[in-house]
Amino acid sequence: MASATEDPVLERYFKGHKAAITSVDFSPNGKQLATASWDTFLMLWSFKPQARAYRYVGHKDVVTSVQFSPHGNLLASASRDRTIRLWIPDKRGKSSEFKAHTAPVRSVDFSADGQYLATASEDKSIKVWNMYRQRFLYSLYRHTHWVRCAKFSPDGRLIVSCSEDKTIKIWDTTNKQCVNNFSDSVGFANFVDFNPNGTCIASAGSDQTVKIWDIRVNKLLQHYQVHSGGVNCLSFHPSGNYLITASSDGTLKILDLLEGRLIYTLQGHTGPVFTVSFSKGGELFTSGGADAQVLLWRTNFDELPCKALNKRNLKRLHFDAPPHLLDTYPRTPHPHEGKIETVETTETTGRTLPDKSEEVCGYFLNPSLMSPECLLKTTKKKTEDMSDLPSESQRSIPLAVTDALEHIMEQLNVLTQVG
């Protein structure tokens, strides 16, 4: 059992948006937070005391997704107004507008090197953009329904996407082909992402489930049924050992992936929780939802002393039945303890792209002008046999057992060499 000091703590909450929060992201240096909302605005919050918050105006409809570039010098946003915007995250908040999708855009994601941006849309496509030249590169078409989310792998070689066609697809960014396909007959995934080392993907299901797949062997590794509403978003801790999930049941849940179990249920929001994200260092996480509030939490549970962590890593090698998933703590809600933040806003009007890029944008407004290879190339698909997936009743397999074994082998090698 964890001691009380390890429980996540609600540190602060930010009020300024006038409607539901759809997306949150920490700046790479951990000093700022960007949020997107149904109110059509982005907001940029500083963690310094009495610092001003900035409101960015430009989108004409719900802002669905926001993300900082890896260097923190840009903010990308997606909107139901069918556009993507790139913002300079300062008090003026100038922006450039990108038009290529023919329907609402649901997600934005930078590659780890900041060179590319992937966008997912209800026009059934994923589009990839070159950030240095600020231009459209190519489209990925294979989904047969709205695409809700698309994310780059940590090394940028793959993109994972999920759609209301009930499939999760993995794409090779080199040959622009769909190389893997996970399908689910029950529901569709609202959100997908790679784990920090890129070996697994996690999906947040509209059917209330959280699933983790090993993409190297195409196996479902873990299947959590811990929420009583659709799961809207998830975020991996940078260590890869924990996953936090946000659900329409009004809760956030933290899963210990090494032990394959739920360890925390956090109740800070009133109403559905739509978005959650760990900071780049993992010491904080933030959440937003229908209550228009942005909550900032301190992780704490990952501050276990090294010896305890090593013990836990050893413990996961013993294949005892893991505790039941509903054996959770703490059960008590986390009330609002933090200081309320006052908001001063500077409203800025967006500007369109420079002339050269405007031509590019106009050109790509018409889907019939897309390059023929994007539209017509029939891609080869690896066929997988899905029949050997574990049934729902089977227990989750603890993740990273092989990593632990490898680690122990390394330790033994060191010891034998010293001897």
Side-chain angles (χ1 to χ4, degrees), residues 36 71 76 82 89 133 167 201 204 226 278 295 329 343 353-354 391 394:
H71 303 300
R82 305 182 177 190
R133 296 184 184 174
T167 68
I201 53 165
V226 292
F278 273 110
L295 304 186
Y329 57 88
V343 185
L353 278 173
S391 68
Q394 282 181 285

Side-chain angles (χ1 to χ4, degrees), residues 329-347:
Y329 57 88
R331 289 179 183 274
T332 52
H334 287 249
H336 295 275
E337 298 159 356
K339 302 183 290 294
I340 186 159
E341 304 299 321
T342 55
V343 185
E344 286 181 54
T345 63
T346 48
E347 309 225 342

Side-chain angles (χ1 to χ4, degrees), residues 44-99:
L44 186 65
W45 312 84
S46 172
F47 296 149
K48 291 176 188 165
Q50 281 83 51
R52 296 174 67 182
Y54 300 113
R55 177 182 285 144
Y56 295 160
V57 182
H59 283 298
K60 297 172 183 65
D61 203 336
V62 172
V63 188
T64 53
S65 180
V66 64
Q67 195 186 55
F68 276 97
S69 64
H71 303 300
N73 59 335
L74 285 174
L75 262 181
S77 62
S79 170
R80 272 208 321 219
D81 67 11
R82 305 182 177 190
T83 70
I84 298 118
R85 279 181 178 265
L86 281 183
W87 309 78
I88 297 164
D90 59 15
K91 67 181 180 186
R92 290 189 305 158
K94 285 189 173 179
S95 69
S96 309
E97 187 179 66
F98 291 76
K99 292 178 180 175

Side-chain angles (χ1 to χ4, degrees), residues 304-317:
L304 297 170
C306 278
K307 280 182 183 171
L309 277 174
N310 289 340
K311 255 188 202 169
R312 287 176 65 181
N313 288 347
L314 282 171
K315 199 168 69 178
R316 66 189 179 176
L317 290 171

Side-chain angles (χ1 to χ4, degrees), residues 142-146 162-169 188:
R142 280 293 294 280
H143 283 296
T144 57
H145 208 310
W146 296 352
C162 62
S163 162
E164 293 195 18
D165 64 13
K166 297 184 178 179
T167 68
I168 292 169
K169 295 187 189 297
F188 55 84

Side-chain angles (χ1 to χ4, degrees), residues 138-314:
Y138 60 88
S139 293
L140 300 171
Y141 291 104
R142 280 293 294 280
H143 283 296
T144 57
H145 208 310
W146 296 352
V147 189
R148 297 188 71 97
C149 180
K151 295 274 189 182
F152 281 102
S153 60
D155 63 10
R157 289 188 308 112
L158 301 172
I159 290 173
V160 64
S161 61
C162 62
S163 162
E164 293 195 18
D165 64 13
K166 297 184 178 179
T167 68
I168 292 169
K169 295 187 189 297
I170 295 178
W171 311 80
D172 183 322
T173 56
T174 309
N175 62 19
K176 328 259 188 301
Q177 293 192 355
C178 176
V179 293
N180 218 331
N181 197 62
F182 300 99
S183 56
D184 198 327
S185 56
V186 185
F188 55 84
N190 286 314
F191 191 94
V192 282
D193 202 2
F194 286 90
N195 69 341
N197 69 8
T199 57
C200 297
I201 53 165
S203 66
S206 62
D207 61 354
Q208 309 178 6
T209 65
V210 175
K211 291 177 179 173
I212 297 176
W213 311 78
D214 186 322
I215 61 169
R216 297 165 298 184
V217 290
N218 300 340
K219 284 275 180 4
L220 179 63
L221 285 186
Q222 295 189 346
H223 183 177
Y224 296 93
Q225 290 179 294
V226 292
H227 283 291
S228 57
V231 189
N232 298 313
C233 189
L234 48 80
S235 179
F236 279 98
H237 187 270
S239 67
N241 296 342
Y242 303 95
L243 186 72
I244 189 162
T245 57
S247 167
S248 293
D249 66 12
T251 68
L252 297 163
K253 292 188 187 271
I254 298 173
L255 306 168
D256 182 327
L257 301 180
L258 300 180
E259 295 189 356
R261 69 185 187 109
L262 171 60
I263 55 172
Y264 295 108
T265 296
L266 304 174
Q267 295 166 319
H269 288 279
T270 54
V273 192
F274 294 133
T275 179
V276 66
S277 180
F278 273 110
S279 62
K280 306 301 180 261
E283 66 285 350
L284 297 168
F285 59 95
T286 184
S287 57
D291 58 9
Q293 292 197 89
V294 178
L295 304 186
L296 181 70
W297 309 76
R298 184 158 294 280
T299 306
N300 289 353
F301 61 80
D302 201 36
E303 294 176 8
L304 297 170
C306 278
K307 280 182 183 171
L309 277 174
N310 289 340
K311 255 188 202 169
R312 287 176 65 181
N313 288 347
L314 282 171

